[in-house]
Each structure stands twice: as C-alpha cells, then as structure tokens.
Short mmCIF file of all heavy atoms in Angstrom, two decimals:
data_model
loop_
_atom_site.label_atom_id
_atom_site.label_comp_id
_atom_site.label_asym_id
_atom_site.label_seq_id
_atom_site.Cartn_x
_atom_site.Cartn_y
_atom_site.Cartn_z
N PHE A 200 8.98 -6.01 -5.94
CA PHE A 200 7.66 -5.34 -6.11
C PHE A 200 7.67 -4.03 -5.45
O PHE A 200 8.40 -3.77 -4.55
CB PHE A 200 6.56 -6.21 -5.50
CG PHE A 200 5.19 -5.60 -5.55
CD1 PHE A 200 4.48 -5.44 -6.73
CD2 PHE A 200 4.70 -5.07 -4.45
CE1 PHE A 200 3.32 -4.87 -6.86
CE2 PHE A 200 3.48 -4.36 -4.45
CZ PHE A 200 2.73 -4.30 -5.62
N VAL A 201 6.87 -3.13 -6.00
CA VAL A 201 6.78 -1.74 -5.50
C VAL A 201 6.60 -1.65 -4.00
O VAL A 201 7.20 -0.77 -3.31
CB VAL A 201 5.61 -0.95 -6.23
CG1 VAL A 201 5.52 0.44 -5.78
CG2 VAL A 201 6.06 -0.96 -7.73
N ALA A 202 5.63 -2.34 -3.49
CA ALA A 202 5.30 -2.31 -2.03
C ALA A 202 6.50 -2.54 -1.19
O ALA A 202 6.75 -1.88 -0.16
CB ALA A 202 4.18 -3.20 -1.64
N LYS A 203 7.45 -3.45 -1.59
CA LYS A 203 8.59 -3.77 -0.87
C LYS A 203 9.52 -2.60 -0.89
O LYS A 203 10.15 -2.22 0.17
CB LYS A 203 9.35 -4.91 -1.55
CG LYS A 203 10.38 -5.52 -0.79
CD LYS A 203 9.79 -6.64 0.18
CE LYS A 203 10.80 -7.60 0.63
NZ LYS A 203 10.32 -8.40 1.72
N HIS A 204 9.63 -1.82 -1.97
CA HIS A 204 10.53 -0.72 -2.08
C HIS A 204 9.92 0.42 -1.26
O HIS A 204 10.57 1.24 -0.65
CB HIS A 204 10.72 -0.26 -3.53
CG HIS A 204 11.55 -1.25 -4.28
ND1 HIS A 204 12.87 -1.40 -4.09
CD2 HIS A 204 11.18 -2.08 -5.28
CE1 HIS A 204 13.35 -2.33 -4.89
NE2 HIS A 204 12.34 -2.80 -5.70
N LEU A 205 8.53 0.52 -1.33
CA LEU A 205 7.92 1.59 -0.57
C LEU A 205 8.11 1.45 0.92
O LEU A 205 8.12 2.42 1.68
CB LEU A 205 6.50 1.66 -0.86
CG LEU A 205 6.09 2.14 -2.26
CD1 LEU A 205 4.61 1.88 -2.56
CD2 LEU A 205 6.44 3.60 -2.49
N THR A 206 8.19 0.30 1.41
CA THR A 206 8.22 0.03 2.83
C THR A 206 9.75 -0.16 3.29
O THR A 206 9.96 -0.33 4.51
CB THR A 206 7.46 -1.25 3.22
OG1 THR A 206 7.99 -2.35 2.50
CG2 THR A 206 6.01 -1.06 2.93
N SER A 207 10.64 -0.08 2.38
CA SER A 207 12.05 -0.26 2.78
C SER A 207 12.68 0.90 3.36
O SER A 207 13.85 0.86 3.62
CB SER A 207 12.84 -0.82 1.58
OG SER A 207 12.96 0.16 0.57
N GLY A 208 12.06 2.02 3.46
CA GLY A 208 12.59 3.27 4.16
C GLY A 208 13.25 4.12 3.14
O GLY A 208 13.96 5.20 3.59
N HIS A 209 13.04 3.98 1.82
CA HIS A 209 13.72 4.92 0.87
C HIS A 209 13.03 6.24 1.00
O HIS A 209 11.88 6.46 1.02
CB HIS A 209 13.46 4.39 -0.60
CG HIS A 209 14.30 3.22 -0.90
ND1 HIS A 209 15.62 3.29 -1.28
CD2 HIS A 209 13.97 1.90 -0.96
CE1 HIS A 209 16.07 2.09 -1.49
NE2 HIS A 209 15.06 1.25 -1.35
N GLU A 210 13.90 7.28 1.13
CA GLU A 210 13.48 8.57 1.48
C GLU A 210 12.65 9.15 0.29
O GLU A 210 11.71 9.92 0.47
CB GLU A 210 14.74 9.53 1.66
CG GLU A 210 14.38 10.87 2.22
CD GLU A 210 15.59 11.61 2.66
OE1 GLU A 210 16.38 11.17 3.36
OE2 GLU A 210 15.77 12.79 2.07
N CYS A 211 12.92 8.75 -0.93
CA CYS A 211 12.21 9.22 -2.16
C CYS A 211 10.77 8.88 -2.07
O CYS A 211 9.96 9.44 -2.80
CB CYS A 211 12.79 8.79 -3.35
SG CYS A 211 12.91 7.03 -3.72
N PHE A 212 10.36 7.88 -1.28
CA PHE A 212 8.95 7.47 -1.18
C PHE A 212 8.23 8.10 -0.02
O PHE A 212 7.03 7.90 0.12
CB PHE A 212 8.84 6.00 -1.08
CG PHE A 212 9.29 5.27 -2.26
CD1 PHE A 212 10.47 4.39 -2.14
CD2 PHE A 212 8.74 5.38 -3.53
CE1 PHE A 212 10.93 3.73 -3.37
CE2 PHE A 212 9.16 4.70 -4.61
CZ PHE A 212 10.30 3.84 -4.44
N SER A 213 8.87 8.92 0.73
CA SER A 213 8.29 9.42 1.99
C SER A 213 7.29 10.51 1.79
O SER A 213 6.49 10.78 2.66
CB SER A 213 9.36 9.89 2.92
OG SER A 213 10.04 10.88 2.36
N ASN A 214 7.21 11.07 0.57
CA ASN A 214 6.38 12.18 0.29
C ASN A 214 5.23 11.83 -0.72
O ASN A 214 4.54 12.77 -1.16
CB ASN A 214 7.06 13.37 -0.16
CG ASN A 214 7.97 13.89 1.00
OD1 ASN A 214 7.52 14.01 2.09
ND2 ASN A 214 9.14 14.44 0.54
N ILE A 215 5.03 10.60 -1.07
CA ILE A 215 3.99 10.20 -2.02
C ILE A 215 2.66 10.48 -1.50
O ILE A 215 2.32 10.16 -0.35
CB ILE A 215 4.27 8.72 -2.32
CG1 ILE A 215 5.39 8.45 -3.13
CG2 ILE A 215 2.95 8.14 -3.03
CD1 ILE A 215 5.70 6.97 -3.43
N THR A 216 1.80 11.10 -2.32
CA THR A 216 0.39 11.42 -1.99
C THR A 216 -0.55 10.66 -2.71
O THR A 216 -1.67 10.43 -2.30
CB THR A 216 0.12 12.91 -2.14
OG1 THR A 216 0.31 13.22 -3.48
CG2 THR A 216 1.04 13.77 -1.24
N SER A 217 -0.20 9.98 -3.85
CA SER A 217 -1.10 9.25 -4.71
C SER A 217 -0.30 8.11 -5.25
O SER A 217 0.82 8.22 -5.74
CB SER A 217 -1.64 10.11 -5.81
OG SER A 217 -2.51 9.40 -6.66
N LEU A 218 -0.86 6.85 -5.29
CA LEU A 218 -0.23 5.71 -5.65
C LEU A 218 -1.25 4.86 -6.43
O LEU A 218 -2.31 4.47 -5.97
CB LEU A 218 0.27 4.89 -4.48
CG LEU A 218 1.22 3.76 -4.79
CD1 LEU A 218 2.38 4.10 -5.55
CD2 LEU A 218 1.59 3.09 -3.46
N GLU A 219 -0.99 4.58 -7.72
CA GLU A 219 -1.87 3.76 -8.55
C GLU A 219 -1.07 2.49 -8.99
O GLU A 219 -0.07 2.61 -9.73
CB GLU A 219 -2.34 4.61 -9.83
CG GLU A 219 -3.11 5.81 -9.38
CD GLU A 219 -3.71 6.55 -10.60
OE1 GLU A 219 -3.66 5.99 -11.62
OE2 GLU A 219 -4.20 7.71 -10.34
N LEU A 220 -1.47 1.42 -8.52
CA LEU A 220 -0.83 0.11 -8.81
C LEU A 220 -1.77 -0.81 -9.50
O LEU A 220 -1.90 -1.98 -9.11
CB LEU A 220 -0.33 -0.54 -7.50
CG LEU A 220 0.61 0.30 -6.73
CD1 LEU A 220 0.99 -0.29 -5.26
CD2 LEU A 220 1.96 0.38 -7.49
N PHE A 221 -2.40 -0.44 -10.60
CA PHE A 221 -3.26 -1.25 -11.40
C PHE A 221 -2.50 -2.33 -12.11
O PHE A 221 -1.39 -2.08 -12.61
CB PHE A 221 -4.00 -0.34 -12.46
CG PHE A 221 -5.07 0.45 -11.95
CD1 PHE A 221 -4.86 1.86 -11.74
CD2 PHE A 221 -6.33 -0.06 -11.72
CE1 PHE A 221 -5.86 2.68 -11.26
CE2 PHE A 221 -7.39 0.78 -11.23
CZ PHE A 221 -7.03 2.09 -10.94
N GLY A 222 -3.02 -3.53 -12.16
CA GLY A 222 -2.56 -4.65 -12.94
C GLY A 222 -1.14 -5.05 -12.52
O GLY A 222 -0.32 -5.45 -13.45
N ASN A 223 -0.74 -5.08 -11.28
CA ASN A 223 0.53 -5.40 -10.87
C ASN A 223 0.65 -6.88 -10.29
O ASN A 223 1.60 -7.27 -9.66
CB ASN A 223 1.16 -4.47 -9.88
CG ASN A 223 1.61 -3.25 -10.52
OD1 ASN A 223 2.70 -3.24 -11.20
ND2 ASN A 223 0.84 -2.17 -10.39
N ASP A 224 -0.35 -7.67 -10.51
CA ASP A 224 -0.40 -9.05 -9.97
C ASP A 224 -0.23 -9.05 -8.42
O ASP A 224 0.37 -10.04 -7.96
CB ASP A 224 0.56 -9.97 -10.61
CG ASP A 224 0.15 -10.18 -12.13
OD1 ASP A 224 -1.05 -10.33 -12.34
OD2 ASP A 224 1.05 -10.43 -12.88
N MET A 225 -0.70 -7.97 -7.69
CA MET A 225 -0.58 -8.04 -6.27
C MET A 225 -1.40 -9.14 -5.66
O MET A 225 -2.54 -9.26 -5.96
CB MET A 225 -0.94 -6.70 -5.70
CG MET A 225 -0.05 -5.57 -5.79
SD MET A 225 -0.63 -4.06 -5.01
CE MET A 225 -0.83 -4.62 -3.33
N GLY A 226 -0.74 -9.93 -4.89
CA GLY A 226 -1.42 -11.02 -4.17
C GLY A 226 -1.42 -10.71 -2.64
O GLY A 226 -1.11 -9.61 -2.22
N ASP A 227 -1.65 -11.72 -1.88
CA ASP A 227 -1.74 -11.50 -0.48
C ASP A 227 -0.49 -11.06 0.24
O ASP A 227 -0.55 -10.15 1.12
CB ASP A 227 -2.21 -12.84 0.20
CG ASP A 227 -3.65 -13.21 -0.26
OD1 ASP A 227 -4.36 -12.36 -0.67
OD2 ASP A 227 -3.95 -14.39 0.01
N GLU A 228 0.69 -11.55 -0.25
CA GLU A 228 1.96 -11.16 0.43
C GLU A 228 2.24 -9.71 0.13
O GLU A 228 2.76 -9.00 1.02
CB GLU A 228 3.11 -12.04 -0.02
CG GLU A 228 3.18 -13.37 0.78
CD GLU A 228 3.36 -13.03 2.26
OE1 GLU A 228 4.15 -12.33 2.83
OE2 GLU A 228 2.54 -13.69 3.02
N CYS A 229 2.00 -9.25 -1.04
CA CYS A 229 2.11 -7.87 -1.44
C CYS A 229 1.25 -6.96 -0.59
O CYS A 229 1.55 -5.88 -0.19
CB CYS A 229 1.90 -7.69 -2.88
SG CYS A 229 3.20 -8.45 -3.95
N CYS A 230 0.02 -7.52 -0.33
CA CYS A 230 -0.91 -6.73 0.42
C CYS A 230 -0.47 -6.62 1.81
O CYS A 230 -0.68 -5.61 2.56
CB CYS A 230 -2.33 -7.31 0.42
SG CYS A 230 -3.13 -7.20 -1.28
N LYS A 231 0.14 -7.63 2.32
CA LYS A 231 0.77 -7.59 3.70
C LYS A 231 1.83 -6.47 3.84
O LYS A 231 1.80 -5.70 4.78
CB LYS A 231 1.38 -8.92 4.05
CG LYS A 231 1.78 -9.01 5.49
CD LYS A 231 2.28 -10.40 5.78
CE LYS A 231 2.65 -10.72 7.18
NZ LYS A 231 2.99 -12.05 7.43
N GLU A 232 2.66 -6.36 2.77
CA GLU A 232 3.69 -5.28 2.79
C GLU A 232 3.02 -3.91 2.57
O GLU A 232 3.42 -2.95 3.26
CB GLU A 232 4.65 -5.51 1.57
CG GLU A 232 5.41 -6.75 1.70
CD GLU A 232 6.61 -6.63 2.59
OE1 GLU A 232 7.00 -5.54 2.96
OE2 GLU A 232 7.00 -7.68 3.08
N MET A 233 1.99 -3.86 1.77
CA MET A 233 1.30 -2.54 1.57
C MET A 233 0.61 -2.12 2.88
O MET A 233 0.64 -0.98 3.23
CB MET A 233 0.30 -2.67 0.39
CG MET A 233 -0.43 -1.40 0.08
SD MET A 233 0.74 -0.07 -0.45
CE MET A 233 1.37 -0.77 -1.98
N ALA A 234 0.02 -3.09 3.61
CA ALA A 234 -0.65 -2.78 4.96
C ALA A 234 0.36 -2.19 5.88
O ALA A 234 0.07 -1.23 6.59
CB ALA A 234 -1.19 -4.05 5.47
N ASN A 235 1.63 -2.68 5.89
CA ASN A 235 2.65 -2.11 6.72
C ASN A 235 2.88 -0.67 6.34
O ASN A 235 3.09 0.16 7.15
CB ASN A 235 3.90 -2.94 6.63
CG ASN A 235 3.75 -4.33 7.33
OD1 ASN A 235 3.01 -4.42 8.25
ND2 ASN A 235 4.54 -5.17 6.89
N LEU A 236 2.95 -0.35 5.06
CA LEU A 236 3.21 1.00 4.62
C LEU A 236 2.00 1.84 4.99
O LEU A 236 2.13 2.95 5.59
CB LEU A 236 3.23 0.99 3.01
CG LEU A 236 3.15 2.39 2.43
CD1 LEU A 236 4.46 3.11 2.67
CD2 LEU A 236 2.98 2.32 0.92
N LEU A 237 0.74 1.35 4.88
CA LEU A 237 -0.43 2.16 5.27
C LEU A 237 -0.46 2.51 6.69
O LEU A 237 -0.90 3.51 7.08
CB LEU A 237 -1.71 1.31 4.85
CG LEU A 237 -1.94 1.19 3.36
CD1 LEU A 237 -3.19 0.24 3.16
CD2 LEU A 237 -2.12 2.52 2.65
N ARG A 238 0.11 1.57 7.52
CA ARG A 238 0.09 1.82 8.94
C ARG A 238 0.98 2.98 9.41
O ARG A 238 0.71 3.68 10.38
CB ARG A 238 0.46 0.56 9.78
CG ARG A 238 -0.48 -0.52 9.81
CD ARG A 238 0.09 -1.63 10.67
NE ARG A 238 -0.83 -2.76 10.55
CZ ARG A 238 -0.70 -3.82 9.72
NH1 ARG A 238 0.41 -3.85 8.93
NH2 ARG A 238 -1.51 -4.78 9.69
N THR A 239 1.99 3.22 8.63
CA THR A 239 3.03 4.22 9.08
C THR A 239 3.10 5.50 8.14
O THR A 239 3.59 6.56 8.59
CB THR A 239 4.43 3.54 9.03
OG1 THR A 239 4.71 3.08 7.70
CG2 THR A 239 4.49 2.40 10.10
N ASN A 240 2.62 5.38 6.84
CA ASN A 240 2.74 6.51 5.94
C ASN A 240 1.78 7.62 6.44
O ASN A 240 0.65 7.48 6.79
CB ASN A 240 2.33 6.06 4.61
CG ASN A 240 2.38 7.15 3.60
OD1 ASN A 240 1.50 8.00 3.45
ND2 ASN A 240 3.55 7.21 2.87
N LYS A 241 2.35 8.88 6.38
CA LYS A 241 1.50 10.05 6.83
C LYS A 241 1.26 11.00 5.69
O LYS A 241 0.69 12.05 5.85
CB LYS A 241 2.42 10.84 7.84
CG LYS A 241 2.79 10.00 9.04
CD LYS A 241 1.66 9.64 9.85
CE LYS A 241 2.02 8.81 11.18
NZ LYS A 241 1.19 7.75 11.48
N THR A 242 1.54 10.55 4.39
CA THR A 242 1.28 11.51 3.27
C THR A 242 0.36 11.02 2.21
O THR A 242 -0.23 11.66 1.41
CB THR A 242 2.66 11.85 2.55
OG1 THR A 242 3.28 10.66 2.13
CG2 THR A 242 3.48 12.60 3.52
N LEU A 243 0.11 9.61 2.14
CA LEU A 243 -0.57 9.00 1.05
C LEU A 243 -2.08 9.35 1.26
O LEU A 243 -2.69 9.15 2.33
CB LEU A 243 -0.42 7.54 1.08
CG LEU A 243 -1.01 6.75 -0.16
CD1 LEU A 243 -0.27 7.11 -1.35
CD2 LEU A 243 -0.96 5.22 0.17
N LYS A 244 -2.70 9.95 0.22
CA LYS A 244 -4.12 10.36 0.32
C LYS A 244 -4.97 9.55 -0.63
O LYS A 244 -6.18 9.42 -0.45
CB LYS A 244 -4.27 11.84 -0.12
CG LYS A 244 -3.59 12.74 0.92
CD LYS A 244 -3.71 14.21 0.57
CE LYS A 244 -3.12 15.04 1.57
NZ LYS A 244 -3.40 16.34 1.61
N ARG A 245 -4.40 8.96 -1.68
CA ARG A 245 -5.18 8.13 -2.60
C ARG A 245 -4.39 6.88 -3.04
O ARG A 245 -3.13 6.98 -3.31
CB ARG A 245 -5.49 8.97 -3.83
CG ARG A 245 -6.51 8.32 -4.76
CD ARG A 245 -6.88 9.22 -5.83
NE ARG A 245 -5.72 9.36 -6.78
CZ ARG A 245 -5.78 10.04 -7.85
NH1 ARG A 245 -6.95 10.58 -8.24
NH2 ARG A 245 -4.77 10.21 -8.65
N LEU A 246 -5.03 5.73 -3.03
CA LEU A 246 -4.46 4.49 -3.25
C LEU A 246 -5.42 3.74 -4.24
O LEU A 246 -6.57 3.48 -3.88
CB LEU A 246 -4.12 3.68 -2.11
CG LEU A 246 -3.58 2.27 -2.29
CD1 LEU A 246 -2.25 2.29 -2.96
CD2 LEU A 246 -3.52 1.53 -0.89
N LYS A 247 -4.99 3.38 -5.36
CA LYS A 247 -5.67 2.54 -6.36
C LYS A 247 -5.11 1.22 -6.63
O LYS A 247 -3.96 1.18 -7.07
CB LYS A 247 -6.03 3.35 -7.72
CG LYS A 247 -6.77 4.60 -7.42
CD LYS A 247 -7.06 5.22 -8.76
CE LYS A 247 -7.94 6.51 -8.60
NZ LYS A 247 -8.33 7.06 -9.88
N LEU A 248 -5.81 0.19 -6.41
CA LEU A 248 -5.24 -1.18 -6.52
C LEU A 248 -6.11 -2.09 -7.36
O LEU A 248 -6.01 -3.22 -7.34
CB LEU A 248 -5.14 -1.88 -5.11
CG LEU A 248 -4.34 -1.17 -4.08
CD1 LEU A 248 -4.53 -1.80 -2.71
CD2 LEU A 248 -2.84 -1.20 -4.56
N GLY A 249 -6.70 -1.51 -8.44
CA GLY A 249 -7.62 -2.38 -9.28
C GLY A 249 -6.82 -3.30 -10.12
O GLY A 249 -5.61 -3.17 -10.35
N ASP A 250 -7.61 -4.33 -10.59
CA ASP A 250 -7.01 -5.29 -11.49
C ASP A 250 -5.78 -6.10 -10.90
O ASP A 250 -4.75 -6.17 -11.58
CB ASP A 250 -6.74 -4.74 -12.87
CG ASP A 250 -6.54 -5.84 -13.94
OD1 ASP A 250 -7.07 -6.96 -13.82
OD2 ASP A 250 -5.83 -5.54 -14.97
N ASN A 251 -5.84 -6.44 -9.68
CA ASN A 251 -4.71 -7.31 -9.03
C ASN A 251 -5.34 -8.54 -8.64
O ASN A 251 -6.51 -8.98 -8.87
CB ASN A 251 -4.22 -6.51 -7.93
CG ASN A 251 -3.24 -5.41 -8.32
OD1 ASN A 251 -2.06 -5.69 -8.76
ND2 ASN A 251 -3.68 -4.14 -8.21
N LYS A 252 -4.59 -9.42 -8.05
CA LYS A 252 -4.96 -10.71 -7.61
C LYS A 252 -5.17 -10.76 -5.98
O LYS A 252 -4.56 -11.55 -5.26
CB LYS A 252 -3.96 -11.71 -7.95
CG LYS A 252 -3.90 -11.83 -9.45
CD LYS A 252 -2.90 -12.86 -9.87
CE LYS A 252 -2.92 -12.95 -11.45
NZ LYS A 252 -1.90 -13.83 -11.97
N ILE A 253 -5.87 -9.73 -5.53
CA ILE A 253 -6.09 -9.60 -4.00
C ILE A 253 -7.19 -10.51 -3.61
O ILE A 253 -8.31 -10.34 -4.04
CB ILE A 253 -6.35 -8.16 -3.67
CG1 ILE A 253 -5.18 -7.27 -4.12
CG2 ILE A 253 -6.66 -8.04 -2.22
CD1 ILE A 253 -5.38 -5.79 -4.01
N GLY A 254 -6.85 -11.46 -2.74
CA GLY A 254 -7.95 -12.44 -2.27
C GLY A 254 -8.41 -11.90 -0.92
O GLY A 254 -8.02 -10.83 -0.39
N PRO A 255 -9.27 -12.69 -0.20
CA PRO A 255 -9.74 -12.35 1.02
C PRO A 255 -8.71 -12.03 2.12
O PRO A 255 -8.89 -11.14 2.87
CB PRO A 255 -10.59 -13.54 1.48
CG PRO A 255 -10.99 -14.18 0.20
CD PRO A 255 -9.82 -13.95 -0.72
N THR A 256 -7.65 -12.84 2.12
CA THR A 256 -6.56 -12.58 3.09
C THR A 256 -5.93 -11.23 2.79
O THR A 256 -5.68 -10.51 3.72
CB THR A 256 -5.52 -13.72 3.05
OG1 THR A 256 -6.28 -14.97 3.30
CG2 THR A 256 -4.46 -13.61 3.96
N GLY A 257 -5.54 -11.02 1.54
CA GLY A 257 -4.93 -9.67 1.14
C GLY A 257 -5.88 -8.56 1.49
O GLY A 257 -5.38 -7.48 2.01
N ALA A 258 -7.11 -8.62 1.27
CA ALA A 258 -8.09 -7.63 1.57
C ALA A 258 -8.13 -7.34 3.15
O ALA A 258 -8.21 -6.22 3.52
CB ALA A 258 -9.49 -8.00 1.15
N THR A 259 -8.00 -8.37 3.89
CA THR A 259 -7.95 -8.25 5.35
C THR A 259 -6.74 -7.55 5.76
O THR A 259 -6.79 -6.61 6.61
CB THR A 259 -8.06 -9.66 6.07
OG1 THR A 259 -9.33 -10.26 5.62
CG2 THR A 259 -7.97 -9.49 7.49
N PHE A 260 -5.57 -7.88 5.21
CA PHE A 260 -4.33 -7.10 5.53
C PHE A 260 -4.53 -5.66 5.25
O PHE A 260 -4.17 -4.76 5.98
CB PHE A 260 -3.14 -7.71 4.73
CG PHE A 260 -2.58 -8.99 5.10
CD1 PHE A 260 -2.24 -9.89 4.08
CD2 PHE A 260 -2.51 -9.42 6.45
CE1 PHE A 260 -1.76 -11.18 4.56
CE2 PHE A 260 -1.98 -10.61 6.78
CZ PHE A 260 -1.62 -11.48 5.81
N LEU A 261 -5.11 -5.34 4.01
CA LEU A 261 -5.25 -3.95 3.61
C LEU A 261 -6.22 -3.26 4.49
O LEU A 261 -5.94 -2.10 4.93
CB LEU A 261 -5.77 -3.92 2.12
CG LEU A 261 -4.70 -4.28 1.12
CD1 LEU A 261 -5.41 -4.37 -0.27
CD2 LEU A 261 -3.51 -3.38 1.06
N ALA A 262 -7.24 -3.90 4.83
CA ALA A 262 -8.22 -3.25 5.78
C ALA A 262 -7.69 -2.96 7.15
O ALA A 262 -7.88 -1.82 7.68
CB ALA A 262 -9.52 -4.12 5.95
N GLU A 263 -6.83 -3.90 7.63
CA GLU A 263 -6.21 -3.66 8.96
C GLU A 263 -5.18 -2.42 8.83
O GLU A 263 -5.16 -1.65 9.74
CB GLU A 263 -5.48 -4.84 9.37
CG GLU A 263 -6.41 -5.97 9.82
CD GLU A 263 -5.64 -7.32 10.02
OE1 GLU A 263 -4.49 -7.39 9.76
OE2 GLU A 263 -6.39 -8.20 10.48
N GLY A 264 -4.44 -2.25 7.70
CA GLY A 264 -3.50 -1.27 7.58
C GLY A 264 -4.23 0.12 7.41
O GLY A 264 -3.82 1.19 7.94
N MET A 265 -5.43 0.05 6.63
CA MET A 265 -6.23 1.32 6.50
C MET A 265 -6.77 1.80 7.77
O MET A 265 -7.05 3.01 7.92
CB MET A 265 -7.34 0.97 5.47
CG MET A 265 -6.73 0.98 4.12
SD MET A 265 -8.14 0.66 2.92
CE MET A 265 -7.27 0.18 1.42
N GLN A 266 -7.06 0.97 8.72
CA GLN A 266 -7.68 1.38 9.95
C GLN A 266 -6.68 2.17 10.75
O GLN A 266 -7.17 3.10 11.46
CB GLN A 266 -8.05 0.10 10.85
CG GLN A 266 -9.25 -0.61 10.39
CD GLN A 266 -9.59 -1.89 11.20
OE1 GLN A 266 -8.72 -2.34 11.95
NE2 GLN A 266 -10.70 -2.35 11.06
N LYS A 267 -5.44 2.06 10.57
CA LYS A 267 -4.43 2.79 11.26
C LYS A 267 -4.01 4.03 10.55
O LYS A 267 -3.36 4.92 11.05
CB LYS A 267 -3.10 1.97 11.54
CG LYS A 267 -3.45 0.73 12.34
CD LYS A 267 -3.75 1.03 13.78
CE LYS A 267 -3.92 -0.23 14.56
NZ LYS A 267 -4.35 0.03 15.81
N ASN A 268 -4.36 4.11 9.20
CA ASN A 268 -4.08 5.25 8.40
C ASN A 268 -5.00 6.48 8.62
O ASN A 268 -6.23 6.23 8.54
CB ASN A 268 -3.94 4.77 6.88
CG ASN A 268 -3.40 5.87 6.07
OD1 ASN A 268 -4.06 6.82 5.71
ND2 ASN A 268 -2.31 5.65 5.55
N THR A 269 -4.45 7.60 8.78
CA THR A 269 -5.38 8.78 8.91
C THR A 269 -5.35 9.70 7.72
O THR A 269 -5.97 10.73 7.74
CB THR A 269 -4.85 9.55 10.20
OG1 THR A 269 -3.51 10.00 10.01
CG2 THR A 269 -5.03 8.69 11.42
N THR A 270 -4.61 9.48 6.72
CA THR A 270 -4.51 10.39 5.58
C THR A 270 -5.24 9.94 4.34
O THR A 270 -5.56 10.80 3.46
CB THR A 270 -3.07 10.56 5.17
OG1 THR A 270 -2.37 9.33 4.86
CG2 THR A 270 -2.24 11.23 6.26
N LEU A 271 -5.56 8.67 4.13
CA LEU A 271 -6.28 8.25 3.00
C LEU A 271 -7.69 8.85 2.97
O LEU A 271 -8.34 8.88 3.97
CB LEU A 271 -6.44 6.69 2.87
CG LEU A 271 -5.18 5.94 2.44
CD1 LEU A 271 -5.46 4.37 2.64
CD2 LEU A 271 -4.77 6.21 1.02
N THR A 272 -8.11 9.35 1.77
CA THR A 272 -9.48 9.93 1.70
C THR A 272 -10.38 9.06 0.79
O THR A 272 -9.88 8.18 0.02
CB THR A 272 -9.36 11.26 1.09
OG1 THR A 272 -8.72 11.34 -0.19
CG2 THR A 272 -8.63 12.21 2.04
#
C-alpha cells in the first residue's frame, strides 16, 4: 500500500505537498502507517482520504498523527 512506501524512507516521497488517496480501501492498519508519516513529514500540506474503510480506530491513529504535524492546512 502507498502509506507503507511513503513511510519507508524513499527519497522521492520526501517532498510531497499534496496526497489524494480516494478509494484505496484504507483500513485501520493503513491509517496507523499514515499516522507515522504525518508525525514526521514536513512538506505535506493537503491530504484527502475519502471513500476508504477508515473506522474509529483508524481515525484515532490519524488524529494522533495530525496533532504532531505542523504543515497540514
């Protein structure tokens, strides 16, 4: 999944400013990976995650990651 690649340290992902992941069947585990990205990423300004399978646990992971992120608008 994309979040796994984004968090794996690939240099090509280090400058992403906008990420749209509509309809990727993201569940709670993917949200956990994405939260890790959000905690450390310094360039992402916009994130769209519509039409996924994000439950309450996944939403909590994302919220925790977003609390540490200073670049999302």
